[in-house]
Each structure stands twice: as C-alpha cells, then as structure tokens.
Amino acid sequence: MALKITVIGTGYLGATHAAAMAELGFEVMGLDIDPAKIEMLERGETPMFEPGLEQLLRAHVAGIEGASGRLRFTTSWEELADFGDVHFLCVNTPQKHGEYACDMSYVESAVESLAPLLRRPALVVGKSTVPVGSAARLARRVAELAPAGEDVELAWNPEFLREGFAVQDTLHPDRIVIGVDGGRAEEVLREVYARPVAEGSPFVVADFPTAELVKTSANSFLATKISFINAMAEVCEAAGGDVVKLAEAIGHDERIGKKFLRAGIGFGGGCLPKDIRAFMARAGELGADQALTFLREVDSINMRRRGHMVELTREAVGGSFLGTRVAVLGATFKPDSDDVRDSPALNVAGQIHLQGAQVTVYDPKGMANAARVFPTLGYADTALEAVRGADVVLHLTEWREFRELDPAALAEVVSTPRILDGRNALDPDVWRKAGWTYRALGRPQA
Ligand code: UGA
C-alpha cells in the first residue's frame, strides 16, 4: 500500500511540501491551526506568493475540477493522525523575542498535539530548522506520548528550498539529508523520495545531530559568503576598487564559485538572519561558542550594509533628509517573493522615513505585506508613480521588472535623475546614458 503523508504547518515550506508530495503520487493531508489558511488552500489559493505553487495546488487539491484529488486539508489533529503513515513537521521556528535563540514553541506544540493520537505505526519527520539536540529530545517525547509506542519513530529531514524557487527545489532537491536513529525510518524515507533519488538527487543518511547541523551550517556558510563579499565592498569603497569586477574575477576560481557573491544591502528574510543567531545561541549552550564567534561578525557586516545605504542616500540628497522625497524600488527581502520578513529594503526605507524624508515604495508583489509592517510609508501602484518628483531613487530588491525599466521615461518624472543601486543589479551604462547619476555599493563613482 502506498504511504499516506501528512504535512503539519502550511507556510511556504509546508504548503510547497504538501503539493509536491501529491505531485509525487502520494495521498496527502495538510494541517494548519489557522482555519483561514486552510480555507484558502482548499480553494487552491496560496497564503503567500510563490511562483508555480498555486498551479501545483490546483492540480491536486480535492474538490477542484480536473485536480487529482490527492491533496486534502484539515484543522483536525484526530483526522490527521488517523490518516497518515508519515507526518512531516513543517511549522516555523522564528527568533525568540528579545533573544538570539530559536522559538521552538510551534514545533513542541505540534508534537504534543500529534503524538498522543498516534495509535498505529507512523514516522514523524521534522523538517523545521531546529537547534541541534532537538531531534533526540523530540524522539524521546514522541515515544513517551504515542499509544503505539515503539511503532512510532522520528527522523529529521532538513529542507533547503529557496523562496522564489520553492517548487523546483522541493521536486528536484540538490540533496536529501535525513537524520535517523535506527529502525525503519531510512527505508520509509527512501520510499517517499524514490523519484527525486532516481532522478539523481543525492541521499545522505546521518545521525540526528549531524542532520540538524547540516541545515544550520549550510545557511551559515551562505550568510558568510554574502558578508564576505560585502566586507570586500567596504574595502573597495575605501580603496577605489570595484566589488562587482572583483566578485566576477574571484568567482572564476571553481573553489570559490560565482554564486552568492552579489554585494549590496545584504541578506534578510525569515531564515538566514535568525538561523545564524540561533546557531550562535545553541553553540553557547553547548560550550562551543568560540567556534561561532565569526558569525557575530557576519551578522554585523550584514546589518552595517543597511546603515551604509541610508548614509549614501543622505549624502545624495545633500546631507539632510528633511523635506526630501525618496523613491524606493523593492520592499521584499528578495525578488520573486512577497516576503518582507527582516527585509533589508524595507528596513532602509523605514530608517529614511523616520529621519524625515517622504518615502514612496513600490514592489511588484510585496506591497500588502509591506504596508502591514510599515503603514506610515507611502506606497505607489507602479515604479513610475513611485519615482514621480523624487530627489533620489533607491533600487533595493532586484526584481526583473526593475532591470527592464526605461530609465529615460523615469528621468522625465523625477525631480533629480539620481539612482543608488543597493543590489548591484542594474546596468550602470544604460542608466548613465539616459542622464542619470548612478551609484552602487562597493563601486567607484563615475
Ligand atoms: C535560504 C537558503 O538559501 C535556502 O537554502 C534555505 O533552505 C532557506 O534559507 C531556509 O532556511 O529555509 P531564502 O531565505 O529563500 O533561502 O533566501 P536566499 O536566496 O538564501 O537569499 C537570502 C538573502 O540573501 C536575500 O535577502 C538576498 O537578497 C541576499 N543575497 C543573496 C545577497 O545579498 N547576495 C547574494 O549574492 C545572494
């Protein structure tokens, strides 16, 4: 009999995982404690913008015409526990308020709700990003609570998907990592992931702590790479060098690689910033804090970028923001997402606004979320409207739409054709030819 799969938590990780499991041919049931989210998903709508996800849902959600019907949603733990052979935990683990550590309350409450209802053999698989040591502790808790006793096992299977590419990354992962502690867990997960493995995804089997650490160390490495190139941008600015050229040149060395070397206003989002902080906090608890002190520097280089962007903008408008108009292109933490969690773009826009400028923001998908976080900023419906009358334009999220803007048309409506590229993603020649003063982080001024 084919395995029946459940997915607990339907944020971008869970919603994508549930749809992808249905696409792989499994019967799937998704649960969320938020009934509004469940109602949306049952209509085949996603609570967030993620390219291709709505299409995938509509292909599988039961009740939608023409769908496979393999994907259902519920808010009932009883129904979920009766249904599933494999239960994926996909709830979020945000940063604790006022602390670096990770807030495990959603993971814990999911386990406390599910485990006492597990009356038949089942595998609970954690996908959330958790501090090392959590899987072993949760395995003991599941064993204590589950009526089926030893027939219920736990595994950890970290997720590496990127927002904006979530569907692709879930269906065709560049690796599958599982942490197991004996039993049938490996066999069951090999069955779940048979198709991607047959298509070539490497399948790495590890113990619990290693699997947990793979996730946090991967995100720490990525954050370090970005802060490394941003540190080089600072040096380039001091020395008159060009960080874009530098990144291109060092990237030719295959050991370094070209990816994740784009200097700019730094990393944000719901993962990298909180993951490196939670990692430092956990290392401290383990007595290994010295090993990760470099991450403090990675974090502070990153946060400095936002302040630096504010200063460059202040300089561009003549030393004071009072009475100036600043246009901001981009609000999300990265393109092809509507996520504004810890968004560098919105942080810069907010700081400038709080210092007295009139700030108008435009983003292709992030407007509603941005307005919720920063209701006092101005918002425009198009890039052209956002820049109307602006003394300076800031390019802060590298949407394709912004690369395709016509600088000549924008130049006609701004007060001063001056642009600061916080993402090093626009073509300086094109903008300069259209009469703009173009400046970017880590590059010489023309
Ligand atoms: C990140 C990881 O890339 C995923 O592998 C991981 O699964 C995910 O976190 C997670 O833990 O769930 P994501 O948060 O979607 O994915 O975003 P990234 O693509 O990593 O970008 C993060 C930030 O770094 C963005 O703000 C982006 O603009 C910035 N960035 C990225 C740079 O400033 N420069 C670069 O060269 C690359």
Side-chain angles (χ1 to χ4, degrees):
M1 268 258 292
L3 294 169
K4 287 187 170 174
I5 287 179
T6 84
V7 175
I8 297 157
T10 58
Y12 80 92
L13 165 59
T16 313
H17 193 67
M21 289 293 119
E23 174 73 10
L24 292 182
F26 297 103
E27 293 286 327
V28 183
M29 185 178 282
L31 174 143
D32 205 287
I33 52 171
D34 179 355
K37 258 191 199 167
I38 292 299
E39 279 167 28
M40 281 186 85
L41 290 160
E42 281 174 335
R43 293 194 299 268
E45 293 165 16
T46 51
M48 77 300 285
F49 170 74
E50 182 60 48
L53 181 54
E54 213 152 88
Q55 252 167 317
L56 200 63
L57 279 173
R58 283 174 196 277
H60 298 293
V61 173
I64 291 185
E65 213 187 300
S68 73
R70 288 198 289 270
L71 177 54
R72 265 166 290 165
F73 293 97
T74 186
T75 52
S76 158
W77 288 101
E78 295 275 352
E79 196 184 353
L80 185 99
D82 287 345
F83 175 90
D85 302 303
V86 184
H87 302 280
F88 283 101
L89 295 176
C90 296
V91 296
N92 61 339
T93 49
Q95 186 175 338
K96 264 191 194 165
H97 199 67
E99 280 181 53
Y100 268 15
C102 156
D103 175 357
M104 286 289 285
S105 61
Y106 301 108
V107 175
E108 269 148 20
S109 97
V111 167
E112 298 293 317
S113 303
L114 175 69
L117 304 172
L118 295 174
R119 296 186 185 90
R120 63 188 185 85
L123 178 64
V124 178
V125 186
K127 282 194 97 54
S128 311
T129 301
V130 294
V132 58
S134 303
R137 180 169 51 81
L138 293 168
R140 286 194 296 274
R141 189 68 186 138
V142 167
E144 271 165 33
L145 293 173
E150 286 182 359
D151 285 340
V152 176
E153 291 177 50
L154 183 126
W156 217 262
N157 169 216
E159 178 57 54
F160 305 102
L161 66 78
R162 299 159 296 168
E163 289 184 36
F165 300 91
V167 170
Q168 155 81 14
D169 287 351
T170 308
L171 287 172
H172 310 284
D174 59 6
R175 80 279 211 192
I176 297 158
V177 177
I178 63 162
V180 294
D181 183 20
R184 287 185 59 240
E186 178 181 343
E187 189 189 321
V188 172
L189 286 168
R190 281 193 185 275
E191 192 175 333
V192 170
Y193 291 117
R195 197 161 105 194
V197 170
E199 286 170 5
S201 296
F203 192 83
V204 181
V205 183
D207 54 25
F208 284 159
T210 309
E212 293 167 314
L213 286 168
V214 167
K215 171 69 193 194
T216 31
S217 62
N219 275 1
S220 299
F221 191 87
L222 294 172
T224 303
K225 216 172 167 191
I226 299 169
S227 278
F228 173 83
I229 201 65
N230 281 330
M232 293 308 110
E234 287 185 15
V235 178
C236 279
E237 273 180 33
D242 180 341
V243 74
V244 174
K245 191 61 78 189
L246 180 143
E248 183 196 328
I250 62 173
H252 285 304
D253 182 334
E254 275 179 16
R255 295 168 303 174
I256 296 173
K258 287 185 189 317
K259 290 181 184 162
F260 265 63
L261 283 183
R262 207 182 45 254
I265 54 171
F267 58 81
C271 302
L272 262 42
K274 65 109 178 159
D275 284 356
I276 60 170
R277 292 172 194 156
F279 200 16
M280 284 186 267
R282 184 63 186 137
E285 288 169 3
L286 293 169
D289 41 340
Q290 238 189 334
L292 297 189
T293 44
F294 75 97
L295 287 179
R296 204 172 286 278
E297 202 52 41
V298 166
D299 200 4
S300 77
I301 292 168
N302 189 53
M303 298 311 277
R304 223 161 44 224
R305 304 309 288 163
R306 304 174 183 191
H308 185 52
M309 190 71 206
V310 174
E311 290 320 312
L312 282 186
T313 312
R314 192 198 312 281
E315 208 179 286
V317 295
S320 166
F321 285 123
L322 292 177
T324 62
R325 295 172 73 127
V326 178
V328 170
L329 301 180
T332 54
F333 85 102
K334 67 189 271 189
D336 296 316
S337 167
D338 64 357
D339 196 342
V340 300
R341 283 177 295 170
D342 200 359
S343 166
L346 210 50
N347 181 299
V348 168
Q351 286 193 52
I352 292 174
H353 163 73
L354 292 171
Q355 292 180 40
Q358 189 182 322
V359 178
T360 308
V361 179
Y362 167 72
D363 187 279
K365 294 285 178 195
M367 301 283 273
N369 286 340
R372 224 167 284 139
V373 181
F374 267 109
T376 50
L377 292 173
Y379 292 94
D381 290 336
T382 62
L384 194 71
E385 281 316 305
V387 307
R388 193 175 291 281
D391 299 304
V392 60
V393 176
L394 310 186
H395 175 243
L396 300 185
T397 313
E398 66 280 30
W399 288 89
R400 171 194 276 267
E401 180 179 330
F402 299 148
R403 286 197 297 282
E404 291 173 351
L405 286 169
D406 175 6
L410 296 195
E412 281 176 25
V413 302
V414 293
S415 164
T416 314
R418 188 187 289 129
I419 186 158
L420 300 182
D421 186 357
R423 289 296 184 181
N424 271 309
L426 302 174
D427 184 340
D429 291 342
V430 170
W431 287 78
R432 284 180 182 139
K433 274 198 192 105
W436 288 75
T437 307
Y438 171 97
R439 186 167 182 194
L441 283 86
R443 304 190 84 176
Q445 271 180 284

